Amino acid sequence: MTYARIAGIGSCLPEKVVTNKDLEKTLDTTDEWIRERTGIERRHIVSAGETTSSIGLIAAQRAMEVAGVSAAEIDLIIVGTATPDKVFPATACIIQRRLGVKGSAAFDVHAACSGFVYALDLANRFIITGGAKTALVIGAETLSRIVNWEDRGTAILFGDGAGAVVLEVSDTPGILVTHIHADGEFEELLHVPNGISVGYDKTRAGQAYIEMNGNAVFRRAVATFDNIARETVADLEGGLADIDWFVPHQANMRIIKAAAKKLGMPMERVIATVNEHANTSGASIPLALDLAVRDGRIQRGDTLLFAAFGAGFTWGSTLVIY
Ligand code: UT7
């Protein structure tokens, strides 16, 4: 049987750190409120000149180095991002050029916080059907560029970062199962209401910002993780006990704890980085994965479950033997 196997992982966090205390200076909020309601303590934010492609590129280079693959071997690049450098070309094409990869397919997937699991799902399908041998899957975001820094309901939540994996065709497992879903009914609960085709609100100086009904999104996220848990049980012979590590999208520590509870996973087997990274949307899962592999918690042969939920609404999961 043919599988897509994770051959290498890398990540990149911008150097600049903004703490909750820093936000207290400009917003009607407190460090205590943010920690209690979200678990977030700090977030990394890009500086002038840094972009989604520049941090995505570094994450990709690190993943390729770990995997020991050269630019000539990459035949597919998919970037999951809601904050591309430009309307076009795709951020994947910009990264492709900077990596010196020639002739591969390269495109972006726009599934908001589910971008990485959507991109993994696609890359897995390419590999198991013979459409690619070595794929670069990147989750990269510069959400700070679409955050309204005057809105305490959203400004406290988001951060920037990038993570990447190299997937290689293999006859040993690999990615076992992927699921991706969407329900467009809830468009306005979490969206950027301005944009290229609907136009920009002139009162906001041409800017586009995230708007969210936080509480409604929170409740939906928790309910969706319940569905992901049920779907995952059906895929596992030994049930959820087969999972060694749960690597969820990092939006809010309360959502992560509720999801872990639904899955029956003790928090010791959950990778949580939301305190350090905040919500980095499509980058949050590969960032958490890279951290846990580097610090030795996740070992080769472990069974991992990635699960994400985000604007759209979109959601999905990946069951993988690392
Ligand atoms: O990646 C997927 C997308 N995003 C998410 O999954 C985020 C989902 N939502 C959340 O994480 C939470 O809903 C929030 C952290 C955004 C908010 O927590 P909450 O427990 O749902 O609070 P709330 O929105 O119900 O607001 C409670 C109170 C309100 O005051 P009143 O009306 O009770 O007087 C808010 O105005 O907290 C107030 N509040 C704040 N207070 C201090 C809202 N934001 C802040 C803030 N600092 N930053």
Side-chain angles (χ1 to χ4, degrees), residues 48 63 67 96 137 157 175 187 219 227 309:
Q96 184 210 36
V137 181
L157 294 174
I175 292 179
E187 178 184 344
R219 283 184 273 116
N227 293 335
F309 172 83

Side-chain angles (χ1 to χ4, degrees), residues 82-144:
T83 48
D85 282 21
K86 300 177 178 181
V87 175
F88 59 78
T91 302
C93 295
I94 298 170
I95 292 175
Q96 184 210 36
R97 178 191 187 185
R98 294 187 185 154
L99 283 172
V101 173
K102 301 280 180 206
S104 74
F107 59 91
D108 293 355
V109 171
H110 194 334
C113 298
S114 309
F116 183 73
V117 291
Y118 263 63
L120 264 190
D121 178 288
L122 288 174
N124 181 49
R125 288 174 202 267
F126 268 86
I127 287 177
I128 61 179
T129 55
K133 284 192 167 64
T134 310
L136 195 49
V137 181
I138 304 167
E141 304 279 10
T142 48
L143 292 157
S144 61

Side-chain angles (χ1 to χ4, degrees), residues 33-208:
W33 191 96
I34 301 171
R35 279 174 198 255
E36 262 176 28
R37 298 291 180 117
T38 71
I40 296 166
E41 294 167 26
R42 58 185 65 83
R43 70 284 292 140
H44 292 254
I45 299 290
V46 284
S47 301
E50 286 182 304
T51 62
T52 296
S53 72
S54 73
I55 57 174
L57 174 71
I58 295 169
Q61 286 167 329
R62 289 176 179 162
M64 286 167 64
E65 197 184 325
V66 172
V69 306
S70 66
E73 292 170 83
I74 302 288
D75 52 10
L76 172 68
I77 302 174
I78 311 179
V79 178
T81 186
T83 48
D85 282 21
K86 300 177 178 181
V87 175
F88 59 78
T91 302
C93 295
I94 298 170
I95 292 175
Q96 184 210 36
R97 178 191 187 185
R98 294 187 185 154
L99 283 172
V101 173
K102 301 280 180 206
S104 74
F107 59 91
D108 293 355
V109 171
H110 194 334
C113 298
S114 309
F116 183 73
V117 291
Y118 263 63
L120 264 190
D121 178 288
L122 288 174
N124 181 49
R125 288 174 202 267
F126 268 86
I127 287 177
I128 61 179
T129 55
K133 284 192 167 64
T134 310
L136 195 49
V137 181
I138 304 167
E141 304 279 10
T142 48
L143 292 157
S144 61
R145 299 265 156 79
I146 54 165
V147 159
N148 176 358
W149 291 101
E150 291 171 10
D151 173 18
R152 69 177 183 172
T154 52
I156 59 152
L157 294 174
F158 298 100
D160 302 333
V165 299
V166 172
L167 290 183
E168 275 183 341
V169 67
S170 168
D171 50 15
T172 55
I175 292 179
L176 302 175
V177 196
T178 60
H179 295 285
I180 52 173
H181 302 282
D183 185 347
E185 278 299 308
F186 304 97
E187 178 184 344
E188 288 83 11
L189 289 185
L190 174 53
H191 65 153
V192 176
N194 308 93
I196 304 304
S197 193
V198 296
Y200 291 91
D201 177 347
K202 298 285 182 291
T203 61
R204 293 173 173 195
Q207 291 293 303

Side-chain angles (χ1 to χ4, degrees), residues 23 27-34 36-40 112-114 151-158 190 210 212-222 225 249-255 279-282 284 308-311 313-314:
L23 292 179
L27 285 170
D28 180 16
T29 191
T30 61
D31 175 44
E32 193 191 1
W33 191 96
I34 301 171
E36 262 176 28
R37 298 291 180 117
T38 71
I40 296 166
C113 298
S114 309
D151 173 18
R152 69 177 183 172
T154 52
I156 59 152
L157 294 174
F158 298 100
L190 174 53
I210 298 168
M212 177 173 72
N213 178 336
N215 205 265
V217 174
F218 184 96
R219 283 184 273 116
R220 272 273 147 192
V222 172
F225 276 111
H249 167 53
Q250 312 282 320
N252 183 317
M253 197 58 193
R254 286 155 59 211
I255 298 176
N279 182 347
T280 58
S281 188
S284 87
F309 172 83
F313 289 131
T314 55

